[in-house]
Amino acid sequence: MGLNDTSPSAMRNGRGLSDQWAEAVVIRPRTTEHHITVHKRLVLGFALSILTLIIVTAVAVTLSVRFEECSIGPDGVAGEDSSRGGGSGRFNGSRGERTGERGEDEATQPWRNSRLPSSIRPRHYDLRLAVYMDNFTFSGEVSIELECINATRVIVLHADRLEIDRVSVTLEGGASGRPANRPSGGSMRVHRHFLYAANQMYVVILHRELKPMRVYRLNVSYEAAIEDELLGFFRSSYIMQRERRYLAVTQFSPIHARKAFPCFDEPVYKATFSLTLRHDAQYLSLSNMPLHSSSLDDEDGWVTNEFARTPRMSTYYLAWAVCNFTYRETQTDGGVTLRLYARPDAISSGAGDYALHITKRLLGFYQDYFQVQYSLPKLDLLAVPKHPYSAMENWGLSVFVEQKILLDAEVSSSSYQMDLTMVVVHEICHQWFGDLVTPVWWEDVWLKEGFAHFFEYVGTDFLFPKWNMEKQRFLTDVLHEVMLLDGLRSSHPISQEVEQAADINRVFDWIAYKKGAALIRMLANVMGRSLFQKGLKDYLLSHMYSNAAREDLWSKLTQAMRSEGRDIDMGDMMDRWTLQMGYPVITISKNQSDQLPTHYITISQEHFLYGQEVRTNDSFLWKVPLTVSVGNVTILSPERLIWINNNTETHRISQTDKETWLLGNINQTGYFRVNYDLHNWKLLIQQLHTNPQIISVGNRAGLIDDAFNLARAGYLPQSIPLQLIGYLPGETSFLPWHAASRVLYQLDKLLDRTDEYSLFSDYVLKQVASPYHQMGWPSNVPGNEGNILQASYQADELQRELIMLACSFGHKQCHRQAIAYISDWISSNKNRIPPNIRDFVYCTGVSLMDEDVWEFIWMKFHSSNAVSEKKILLEALTCSDNTFLLNRLLNLSLTSDLVPQQDVIDVIIHVGRNPQGRNLAWTYFREKWDVLNARYGEALFMNSKLISGVTEFLNTEKELNELKEFIQSSGVGAGPALPRALEIVEGNVHWHRVHRQQFFQWLRKAPSSVLG
């Protein structure tokens, strides 16, 4: 190469002018003119090189600063440099809000998005925890095996309230798991790591990109507190032998696994988990899988328990517990080990035996029904003293609050036993719908909760066929209840968009649970049981250990229908029900036109809403499977299925005349209300008075519920439902009485502070008096109560319903009997009150008797060890007419440990249901809102339950204005509960203004024949 070689190739080789300059100056200095010229050229080249270097350096510094801004931590402080593969980045969840420039696109700052980026998927978590029960803290190390889907330099996952200590990333190998062939052991240099608190996300930024189709490992060590707020990894306690004992347990659903370990806390990111727990050897530990190995450290007395690897599952189904419980055990025919863990005294008394017994039967039932085996080698049921919900279906380790799983047969009522049974049935169903197949995202949470709620009734029917739950109690406890909510303009579709974390709690409501169950029941009746089961089997087998959306369910159900030659697109039908809010009212009218013969009927549908003033000609239409029968005094025709697709349709039926009536929605299998022309209503009422048995028990209950709610919404005159229940003295079945009790209770709370209330209560008592005297009171012969298998369940429930109505509406003899029971208990210190009626006997006694009775019940509440008894004793304390005692109870419940934390809300609600305590509870709720919201705001259902319970019976203009003021000043953070409460109270006020006068006017003139 010549000295003056300044060709592009010379410049490109990285040396160029600088090397030429060095060679000229150091080795061959010349002084001739020619050489001076060469030197000038070299100096000029050197200057250009320096200028280029300066420019490049400036650009590099600018880019570095810019990257620094993008990597800034939550407080505006960059995370610790981790150039050695680790680093410190401590935080506590309260620090920090800022990251980078606000104008940055979410693609370059993915942690700003409310959802995790899809560039990385977790495959396996290796989680090791040390649990310190002496100071309620724990330390953890998690190693997450990651598969890179798209090239990225950023790892984003969830973390909340964790103090992150060190972070490192290594390359493991290709997607097939082959080891990496890299120097430095595959370590990836971490540039920054920080918390983005706004989305509860932790961000790890690397110097180099992760490559697609390769496997990496993210290692994080951290510390955290074992919380006292019922979410994440929390602590609870109980008293045994006058000593307070502690336990710690997890509650991760829906988004609280991130409080216990850094993770990809969205349902779709399923992975396997290996868990190791280290703790003091005086405790035992449990998790989803059986114990794989256990070792004791002689030096510190701690035990290390390693659990077997789980199947693929979502983070919120991972669970563990550290406690000193004991257990009872059994085994299924298929070899699955079943254990129930609880307080040692509860286990020794046999309080868990019933739940363990039915769990064994239920596993077999679900395996036969779904034709899909239970997937794990064991299933533990854990009864804890404190829990935010009734239960949580963690795969292989279901957690229950004690009141929903422990049964003392000597003191528990049949209604308590039934409730406990259905909670267990619900949670076992989740082992398939939820654990095995999980909704892709929270917008379809009804895919698991709706199925589990529906199967509460199907599974209970399997256990106790004589209860007939799916055809009877489902109507009053699910269908009628959820229609109250879904008839509001503040309702929402069962499938609703979920964007922010705060929106997730909103989808866990009775619309998801109860409407989901009602729609599934309607679907099952349209398809028929065998095709319904076939579709569910295919759905579960196709998506096991994975996720599914509603379209996946519709696809499998449609295939099942078409396999039998029934070409019905289930998605086309059901999308109308799941993507639209509310439900229709179907109006059936006999043909009044001379143009058509009498065997034609007109059927119309419109969106049912309670508020007349908000009704619009909206475009909501449903595909309605309407079943219709024609009847008269002696016979009812077979039902006929008619599909209603339009606003108004005309259909031909069998011949009718002026004395025949129409009945729609046979056995109330459809999710809609049915209205008729007034003449048809009068014929139905007449039929009920003369021969009610012609109409099925389910339809008798449905007519009562529809009539009262149609009248409340203004579709019917107020007199129609009042005339209809005039037949009740001749009703011998429990279900219609139960339906009537529910609607009468709602009216009672609307009217109990009015001057003419006695007109209403006297009318109710006239219906109740005769059957009440006929049924009498239950015997207190030892052994007669507490038998869950008793064949007389329906008769006992009817007897209970009639006594409760009689005492609630002021029947004198009922009051005397209740007082006699309480007096006998106090004088003898022996409780001879039959368990099935204790709740309202206690309440009646506290309401009518003096302060000493209240103190007696308060004492018994503290001394009782039976969880079912403690619950009804606590609720009885809210029945007092003494506002001083009610106020004392409210304050004690919130400010002391005397009332279990999960029961505080029930205390406030029950005080509000007491006419003497309604204003007290309403005032107390507003004064303590900040405390209550801080305590229960994150817990699903709790805030909503509290707001609804305290406000649902407010019905004066003054109370409405107070609610509006409260919402304006303090309503932030309550989600949809407060707007719904406002609509209900507005409806209450509207009913008083528009309908109350007509209601009482009819009662004043009620003909004696209607009074039965």
Side-chain angles (χ1 to χ4, degrees):
M1 173 170 29
L3 291 179
N4 61 347
D5 186 6
T6 59
S7 65
S9 62
M11 294 297 295
R12 282 195 297 269
N13 67 14
R15 299 178 63 196
L17 291 177
S18 59
D19 282 0
Q20 291 182 31
W21 180 84
E23 185 177 355
V25 173
V26 178
I27 299 177
R28 294 194 302 269
R30 304 283 179 94
T31 57
T32 64
E33 182 178 343
H34 172 75
H35 290 133
I36 290 173
T37 301
V38 170
H39 275 267
K40 286 181 179 179
R41 291 176 178 173
L42 289 173
V43 169
L44 180 60
F46 175 71
L48 288 172
S49 297
I50 295 297
L51 181 61
T52 302
L53 182 62
I54 291 171
I55 292 172
V56 169
T57 302
V59 170
V61 169
T62 301
L63 290 175
S64 175
V65 170
R66 184 60 176 164
F67 188 80
E68 189 83 7
E69 290 176 353
C70 290
S71 305
I72 246 172
D75 271 332
V77 179
E80 297 290 331
D81 188 8
S82 303
S83 57
R84 293 183 299 276
S88 175
R90 289 185 172 271
F91 66 89
N92 59 14
S94 63
R95 303 173 193 166
E97 293 301 325
R98 278 185 48 219
T99 67
E101 293 295 322
R102 292 296 177 186
E104 284 290 324
D105 182 54
E106 287 176 351
T108 59
Q109 294 188 336
W111 54 89
R112 287 188 174 279
N113 198 322
S114 60
R115 298 285 299 274
L116 293 175
S118 57
S119 50
I120 293 173
R121 296 185 63 89
R123 302 206 313 187
H124 178 72
Y125 293 80
D126 192 349
L127 179 59
R128 305 177 63 85
L129 302 176
V131 181
Y132 306 94
M133 294 297 289
D134 55 343
N135 63 1
F136 304 120
T137 63
F138 67 101
S139 60
E141 296 178 358
V142 63
S143 179
I144 311 175
E145 185 181 291
L146 305 173
E147 179 183 356
C148 182
I149 308 300
N150 299 308
T152 181
R153 295 174 64 183
V154 182
I155 300 173
V156 182
L157 70 168
H158 289 106
D160 184 27
R161 307 184 192 181
L162 306 177
E163 292 196 14
I164 304 292
D165 183 42
R166 299 191 67 81
V167 175
S168 66
V169 180
T170 58
L171 171 64
E172 294 292 293
S176 62
R178 291 190 297 272
N181 185 19
R182 275 181 64 116
S184 305
S187 178
M188 303 286 293
R189 187 179 176 188
V190 177
H191 181 75
R192 293 284 186 268
H193 57 96
F194 58 86
L195 171 73
Y196 184 64
N199 285 338
Q200 299 178 348
M201 290 180 180
Y202 202 76
V203 183
V204 179
I205 300 177
L206 304 170
H207 275 278
R208 294 174 178 266
E209 279 191 340
L210 304 180
K211 302 299 183 183
M213 302 298 292
R214 292 191 179 183
V215 177
Y216 299 85
R217 187 169 295 277
L218 170 65
N219 304 292
V220 183
S221 59
Y222 62 97
E223 296 177 353
I226 301 174
E227 301 285 358
D228 190 29
E229 61 175 32
L230 310 184
L231 297 172
F233 188 25
F234 71 91
R235 64 184 184 268
S236 182
S237 66
Y238 60 97
I239 303 294
M240 187 170 176
Q241 298 174 345
R242 298 184 177 181
E243 175 191 358
R244 183 170 293 278
R245 299 185 179 186
Y246 289 92
L247 64 143
V249 65
T250 58
Q251 171 55 42
F252 290 162
S253 177
I255 54 169
H256 304 294
R258 65 192 68 176
K259 289 181 170 66
F261 65 106
C263 57
F264 295 76
D265 203 10
E266 292 180 5
V268 75
Y269 290 109
K270 286 195 169 188
T272 55
F273 296 82
S274 296
L275 175 67
T276 301
L277 291 174
R278 188 172 182 273
H279 51 79
D280 193 307
Q282 68 175 299
Y283 296 94
L284 63 85
S285 52
L286 306 169
S287 188
N288 307 78
M289 297 297 287
L291 195 61
H292 177 66
S293 67
S294 182
S295 60
L296 179 65
D297 190 327
D298 294 330
E299 291 186 8
D300 59 10
W302 277 45
V303 66
T304 300
N305 287 335
E306 181 182 344
F307 296 91
R309 187 181 183 121
T310 72
R312 289 185 73 243
M313 63 183 191
S314 300
T315 48
Y316 71 91
Y317 283 132
L318 183 66
W320 62 81
V322 177
C323 60
N324 45 25
F325 284 174
T326 54
Y327 65 88
R328 289 284 178 92
E329 178 180 316
T330 187
Q331 200 167 54
T332 69
D333 294 338
V336 177
T337 300
L338 304 177
R339 288 180 177 178
L340 188 143
Y341 287 83
R343 292 178 283 110
D345 55 338
I347 292 296
S348 61
S349 71
D353 292 356
Y354 170 71
L356 193 61
H357 168 72
I358 64 172
T359 297
K360 180 178 179 178
R361 294 185 62 199
L362 286 166
L363 277 183
F365 164 72
Y366 283 126
Q367 288 181 146
D368 290 343
Y369 193 102
F370 300 139
Q371 292 294 294
V372 178
Q373 294 299 300
Y374 176 70
S375 302
L376 304 187
K378 65 96 173 175
L379 174 58
D380 294 333
L381 312 178
L382 178 65
V384 297
K386 187 170 68 172
H387 197 266
Y389 318 119
S390 295
M392 177 61 205
E393 68 272 13
N394 309 307
W395 210 355
L397 178 59
S398 291
V399 181
F400 297 75
V401 69
E402 288 181 340
Q403 294 172 357
K404 301 299 183 183
I405 196 169
L406 298 183
L407 177 69
D408 187 333
E410 295 300 317
V411 300
S412 298
S413 68
S414 60
S415 60
Y416 177 86
Q417 294 169 322
M418 183 185 73
D419 186 37
L420 182 154
T421 300
M422 297 180 75
V423 171
V424 175
V425 175
H426 180 108
E427 301 309 321
I428 303 305
C429 178
H430 271 313
Q431 305 296 308
W432 283 265
F433 283 90
D435 296 354
L436 182 64
V437 178
T438 311
V440 170
W441 185 236
W442 300 108
E443 63 190 6
D444 281 331
V445 72
W446 70 270
L447 277 177
K448 70 184 188 77
E449 297 302 345
F451 272 102
H453 203 55
F454 170 68
F455 275 99
E456 282 181 33
Y457 296 83
V458 178
T460 303
D461 275 345
F462 161 76
L463 294 172
F464 308 110
K466 291 183 179 179
W467 290 13
N468 208 11
M469 299 293 289
E470 189 265 323
K471 286 184 170 59
Q472 294 199 16
R473 283 299 285 263
F474 187 96
L475 304 185
T476 52
D477 298 1
V478 179
L479 184 66
H480 297 173
E481 184 168 333
V482 74
M483 281 184 159
L484 288 171
L485 290 176
D486 208 18
L488 300 171
R489 69 177 183 272
S490 56
S491 186
H492 59 79
I494 192 173
S495 293
Q496 51 180 329
E497 290 186 7
V498 176
E499 295 295 336
Q500 304 298 324
D503 295 332
I504 295 173
N505 287 348
R506 174 170 51 86
V507 304
F508 284 85
D509 63 4
W510 284 141
I511 299 296
Y513 282 68
K514 293 184 181 290
K515 183 175 181 178
L519 293 181
I520 290 164
R521 178 173 178 265
M522 179 172 72
L523 193 79
N525 277 277
V526 168
M527 295 182 68
R529 173 171 168 164
S530 61
L531 287 181
F532 180 64
Q533 285 184 255
K534 174 179 170 53
L536 295 188
K537 172 189 173 182
D538 292 345
Y539 169 77
L540 290 171
L541 289 175
S542 297
H543 301 285
M544 60 196 307
Y545 306 113
S546 187
N547 301 82
R550 60 182 178 272
E551 293 84 1
D552 300 311
L553 177 64
W554 305 150
S555 173
K556 293 302 178 183
L557 295 181
T558 300
Q559 289 176 26
M561 293 286 277
R562 289 175 177 166
S563 70
E564 295 291 327
R566 297 172 63 185
D567 192 13
I568 299 178
D569 186 332
M570 305 309 291
D572 183 50
M573 169 193 164
M574 293 304 297
D575 279 349
R576 306 284 187 95
W577 296 94
T578 59
L579 302 180
Q580 293 180 160
M581 62 176 277
Y583 56 88
V585 52
I586 304 298
T587 302
I588 306 174
S589 303
K590 290 182 186 177
N591 175 46
Q592 303 296 325
S593 170
D594 294 334
Q595 313 298 320
L596 293 170
T598 56
H599 51 271
Y600 278 85
I601 57 173
T602 300
I603 304 173
S604 63
Q605 63 164 301
E606 68 172 291
H607 185 190
F608 177 90
L609 286 170
Y610 283 103
Q612 288 175 292
E613 67 279 3
V614 300
R615 285 181 205 149
T616 59
N617 292 324
D618 58 39
S619 58
F620 284 6
L621 280 177
W622 290 265
K623 290 198 169 186
V624 181
L626 174 66
T627 48
V628 180
S629 289
V630 179
N632 57 34
V633 177
T634 58
I635 193 169
L636 182 67
S637 71
E639 66 183 74
R640 175 190 167 192
L641 175 62
I642 302 173
W643 285 96
I644 309 299
N645 300 308
N646 304 302
N647 289 108
T648 303
E649 299 181 8
T650 301
H651 290 270
R652 179 175 178 170
I653 59 167
S654 57
Q655 190 75 30
T656 63
D657 56 39
K658 291 183 179 180
E659 300 306 314
T660 57
W661 39 261
L662 299 164
L663 184 66
N665 199 12
I666 305 304
N667 295 320
Q668 286 213 290
T669 57
Y671 185 70
F672 46 86
R673 297 198 184 278
V674 181
N675 195 10
Y676 308 93
D677 59 76
L678 288 179
H679 179 67
N680 199 77
W681 273 112
K682 290 175 182 177
L683 290 173
L684 287 168
I685 292 169
Q686 183 180 341
Q687 182 68 54
L688 290 172
H689 278 264
T690 56
N691 185 9
Q693 303 303 320
I694 291 291
I695 299 173
S696 72
V697 65
N699 276 116
R700 299 202 299 273
L703 285 169
I704 292 170
D705 187 71
D706 277 349
F708 273 93
N709 283 282
L710 288 166
R712 174 158 185 171
Y715 292 91
L716 278 179
Q718 300 300 306
S719 60
I720 295 294
L722 293 171
Q723 291 177 52
L724 192 151
I725 63 168
Y727 97 95
L728 283 174
E731 179 59 75
T732 58
S733 294
F734 160 72
L735 190 68
W737 273 108
H738 190 51
S741 177
R742 293 172 65 90
V743 293
L744 291 172
Y745 176 75
Q746 297 287 330
L747 279 171
D748 179 64
K749 298 306 172 189
L750 269 181
L751 301 170
D752 60 10
R753 295 180 292 176
T754 62
D755 295 336
E756 297 182 289
Y757 172 72
S758 61
L759 276 174
F760 171 65
S761 61
D762 288 348
Y763 181 70
V764 174
L765 286 176
K766 286 175 182 176
Q767 316 311 315
V768 174
S770 175
Y772 162 73
H773 286 295
Q774 289 172 12
M775 294 293 292
W777 285 65
S779 166
N780 56 8
V781 175
N784 186 57
E785 288 287 345
N787 180 8
I788 194 69
L789 302 174
Q790 57 192 341
S792 60
Y793 168 77
Q794 296 284 350
D796 289 345
E797 286 297 283
L798 174 59
Q799 182 184 57
R800 169 185 161 82
E801 198 77 48
L802 292 169
I803 297 172
M804 185 166 57
L805 279 167
C807 279
S808 298
F809 283 93
H811 194 285
K812 300 302 182 188
Q813 193 276 334
C814 190
H815 284 177
R816 287 194 296 270
Q817 181 65 56
I819 291 171
Y821 268 128
I822 296 290
S823 299
D824 174 69
W825 184 17
I826 294 173
S827 62
S828 67
N829 201 30
K830 185 175 182 180
N831 191 344
R832 285 185 272 258
I833 307 169
N836 210 32
I837 58 171
R838 284 185 180 180
D839 52 353
F840 52 84
V841 169
Y842 293 173
C843 181
T844 303
V846 168
S847 174
L848 298 175
M849 301 171 77
D850 59 22
E851 184 176 337
D852 289 342
V853 173
W854 194 94
E855 296 290 353
F856 175 80
I857 297 292
W858 176 250
M859 177 191 69
K860 291 297 183 183
F861 166 69
H862 288 292
S863 62
S864 175
N865 291 320
V867 291
S868 61
E869 183 75 355
K870 289 181 77 73
K871 180 176 177 62
I872 60 174
L873 286 165
L874 181 61
E875 290 179 359
L877 293 167
T878 69
C879 298
S880 175
D881 285 349
N882 187 323
T883 54
F884 170 78
L885 293 175
L886 294 176
N887 197 47
R888 174 184 165 193
L889 180 62
L890 287 171
N891 287 312
L892 283 172
S893 67
L894 193 60
T895 60
S896 73
D897 292 332
L898 298 176
V899 175
Q901 190 169 333
Q902 67 264 23
D903 291 335
V904 172
I905 285 177
D906 287 329
V907 169
I908 300 172
I909 290 172
H910 280 83
V911 170
R913 289 176 178 172
N914 181 342
Q916 306 304 318
R918 192 162 306 153
N919 186 62
L920 189 67
W922 172 227
T923 302
Y924 187 83
F925 165 80
R926 286 175 290 161
E927 290 176 351
K928 303 296 183 181
W929 168 249
D930 289 340
V931 176
L932 293 165
N933 193 41
R935 180 182 292 188
Y936 301 112
E938 276 196 280
L940 305 180
F941 279 123
M942 283 197 168
N943 246 10
S944 178
K945 177 183 177 182
L946 173 63
I947 292 167
S948 172
V950 171
T951 62
E952 64 180 326
F953 300 123
L954 303 178
N955 54 53
T956 67
E957 292 281 0
K958 176 178 177 292
E959 289 166 340
L960 175 59
N961 290 330
E962 289 171 346
L963 178 58
K964 289 178 178 178
E965 291 172 6
F966 173 74
I967 292 174
Q968 189 172 6
S969 61
S970 308
V972 177
L978 281 172
R980 182 167 60 241
L982 179 61
E983 184 180 356
I984 290 172
V985 176
E986 286 174 340
N988 293 344
V989 172
H990 175 81
W991 187 91
H992 275 278
R993 186 171 62 247
V994 175
H995 300 303
R996 187 175 79 182
Q997 184 176 353
Q998 183 192 57
F999 184 87
F1000 281 125
Q1001 183 178 358
W1002 187 89
L1003 287 175
R1004 281 191 292 269
K1005 299 178 180 179
S1008 58
S1009 61
V1010 178
L1011 301 182

